Amino acid sequence: QNETYKILNVLKVMIDEVTPISENADTRVFEAEEAFKYFKKSEDFEWIEKTNVLTRRLKRVKVSSEQRRVNGEKKRVYILNIRVLSDLCERFKI
């Protein structure tokens, strides 16, 4: 199992367990800090120390990152397309 496989496994469960800050059609937007905490709880990613490390790894599975205003505060968010995630999971037989 390579790292991409492990990332997809965590993301697939995360989209059902972590509440996105916004969603429309196939797009879900998650607060980076919340996603980071979720990944740290998983056995495969407890070693990650900073969100920027996670951000680089999520780019491999087409999850983009940007700054947005959330409740008046500037925060980093991850933007995930559910259809792209499903396609990748299918390819990796997850």
Side-chain angles (χ1 to χ4, degrees):
Q1 292 182 0
N2 66 17
E3 195 171 62
T4 303
Y5 180 89
K6 292 173 184 176
I7 289 169
L8 289 171
N9 263 318
V10 174
L11 278 176
K12 193 170 183 181
V13 178
M14 186 187 90
I15 59 172
D16 293 326
E17 293 185 3
V18 176
T19 308
I21 51 176
S22 74
E23 58 183 287
N24 60 17
D26 294 332
T27 307
R28 304 283 183 280
V29 179
F30 293 94
E31 211 174 296
E33 194 59 39
E34 292 302 311
F36 173 70
K37 287 177 191 169
Y38 190 84
F39 267 80
K40 267 196 85 75
K41 280 193 282 183
S42 80
E43 199 175 292
D44 292 320
F45 296 99
E46 58 194 7
W47 58 270
I48 291 180
E49 293 297 319
K50 295 183 178 175
T51 51
N52 64 339
V53 175
L54 180 60
T55 301
R56 279 196 301 273
R57 284 175 166 71
L58 289 176
K59 283 181 184 173
R60 295 181 195 166
V61 293
K62 313 240 184 313
V63 174
S64 59
S65 164
E66 65 181 42
Q67 293 273 347
R68 285 202 184 165
R69 286 215 172 271
V70 179
N71 301 325
E73 278 183 69
K74 256 177 143 180
K75 294 195 175 195
R76 174 138 318 271
V77 297
Y78 293 135
I79 301 149
L80 184 133
N81 183 306
I82 299 298
R83 199 174 301 153
V84 170
L85 179 66
S86 293
D87 182 50
L88 285 167
C89 286
E90 217 171 277
R91 286 190 214 167
F92 278 85
K93 309 256 186 286
I94 296 172

